[in-house]
C-alpha cells in the first residue's frame, strides 16, 4: 500500500523535482507540474498523455480514474494510493516526470 509519504519520497527523488503548495494540494514539478498530492493524502493527480491515461484507467480501474472535467480531457488522472504499491507510484511518476521535462534537445 502506497502512502502520501512514499508518494512524496518517490516524486522528490526524480531529477530536478521540487515541491510547493498548490491550492489545497502539494505540487511536484520540473519544467511544469506533473503531479499533485491531495491534502488528505488519499489520492494524487498525475499528468499522462491521453493514450496513457486511457490504458492505465482500463488496466487498473481501482488505481486510476480520469478526472471528469477539462483537466481530465488534458490527461490529468487521479491515482488512489491505498490500493497502489510503491512500484505503481514510481512507474506513474516516472512517466509523468518524463513528459514534464519536455522533448529532448536535438544535437546539431
Amino acid at each position: 500500500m502506497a502512502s502520501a509519504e512514499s508518494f512524496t519520497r518517490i516524486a522528490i527523488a526524480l531529477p530536478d523535482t521540487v515541491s510547493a503548495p498548490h491550492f489545497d494540494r502539494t505540487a511536484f514539478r520540473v519544467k511544469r507540474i506533473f503531479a499533485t498530492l491531495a491534502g488528505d493524502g488519499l489520492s494524487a493527480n498525475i499528468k499522462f498523455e491521453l493514450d496513457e491515461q486511457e490504458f492505465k484507467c482500463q488496466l487498473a480501474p481501482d488505481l486510476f480514474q480520469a478526472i471528469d472535467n477539462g483537466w481530465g480531457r488534458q490527461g490529468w488522472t487521479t491515482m488512489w494510493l491505498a490500493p497502489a504499491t510503491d512500484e505503481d507510484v514510481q512507474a506513474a511518476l516516472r512517466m509523468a516526470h518524463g513528459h514534464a521535462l519536455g522533448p529532448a534537445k536535438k544535437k546539431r
Side-chain angles (χ1 to χ4, degrees), residues 20-77:
H22 185 71
F23 299 96
D24 61 340
R25 307 176 75 81
T26 301
F28 300 90
R29 69 180 305 134
V30 280
K31 290 184 178 180
R32 58 183 172 251
I33 295 173
F34 64 90
T36 63
L37 178 64
D40 63 10
L42 299 177
S43 66
N45 292 340
I46 301 176
K47 176 71 164 79
F48 295 123
E49 296 293 323
L50 292 176
D51 59 336
E52 296 164 344
Q53 178 192 58
E54 181 180 5
F55 178 75
K56 288 194 171 287
C57 291
Q58 287 179 0
L59 181 67
D62 57 324
L63 298 183
F64 298 102
Q65 179 181 10
I67 296 174
D68 190 24
N69 61 25
W71 292 106
R73 291 188 295 278
Q74 293 177 36
W76 283 97
T77 307

Side-chain angles (χ1 to χ4, degrees), residues 44 72 87-88 91:
E87 290 78 19
D88 295 325

Side-chain angles (χ1 to χ4, degrees), residues 6 16 18 21 24 29 33 39 46 51 61 70 72-73 76-79 81 83-85 93 96 105-107:
S6 64
D16 301 321
V18 296
D24 61 340
R29 69 180 305 134
I33 295 173
I46 301 176
D51 59 336
R73 291 188 295 278
W76 283 97
T77 307
T78 298
M79 180 179 198
L81 298 181
T85 65
L93 286 173
K105 291 183 181 179
K106 295 181 180 180
K107 293 183 179 181

